[in-house]
Amino acid sequence: MNKFVVSVADASHKYLAEEICEMIAESARQRGTGIAKRSPEYIAKKLTEGKSVLALTQKGEIAGFCYVETWGHGKYVANSGLIVHPDYRKHGLAQAIKERAFKLSRKLYPEAKLFGLTG
């Protein structure tokens, strides 16, 4: 697992928004599922606000992504949009991203009820 860096995103990762959107769309197409489409602007906002988790390869390529969504004025939190690039599946990356997203959610919203969503 050490060939990936899983961390909270920040404004410096905004440039990855379009690529993340393409990765989500391609995954939905391949699986024939209704993964919710997100705009690059929406993803960029999650990256910039520090409300998302990225998995990058040692070369800086995007390997996976997940973001934190809230409702009820922060009473409820969902870890949503989990995606792992097909080239990097079967390495335990989804689990690592989920764990980091859970920790981020707890840090940002310690009193919230947490949910895990994909799509």
Side-chain angles (χ1 to χ4, degrees):
M1 184 65 165
N2 60 1
K3 65 180 182 177
F4 302 105
V5 176
V6 179
S7 61
V8 176
D10 60 34
S12 72
H13 299 109
K14 188 176 175 180
Y15 73 97
L16 293 168
E18 184 71 40
E19 189 174 353
I20 291 167
C21 288
E22 290 171 10
M23 193 167 63
I24 291 169
E26 181 58 27
S27 179
R29 200 169 23 259
Q30 287 178 358
R31 295 179 187 185
T33 61
I35 295 175
K37 186 174 180 179
R38 301 288 186 247
S39 70
E41 294 79 19
Y42 181 86
I43 298 297
K45 183 177 180 190
K46 291 295 181 184
L47 293 165
T48 302
E49 291 176 339
K51 293 183 178 177
S52 61
V53 172
L54 283 175
L56 300 174
T57 67
Q58 293 295 326
K59 294 180 182 179
E61 299 165 337
I62 184 78
F65 174 78
C66 183
Y67 64 90
V68 174
E69 188 64 77
T70 63
W71 66 97
H73 303 287
K75 188 174 180 180
Y76 304 99
V77 176
N79 296 325
S80 189
L82 176 65
I83 186 79
V84 174
H85 190 283
D87 292 347
Y88 306 113
R89 292 181 184 155
K90 308 288 186 201
H91 293 278
L93 197 48
Q95 184 65 33
I97 294 168
K98 283 183 189 181
E99 287 175 11
R100 188 64 188 93
F102 178 83
K103 288 177 184 175
L104 175 62
S105 297
R106 268 292 165 239
K107 179 181 176 187
L108 296 175
Y109 305 96
E111 303 300 319
K113 293 183 181 177
L114 297 180
F115 298 86
L117 304 174
T118 57

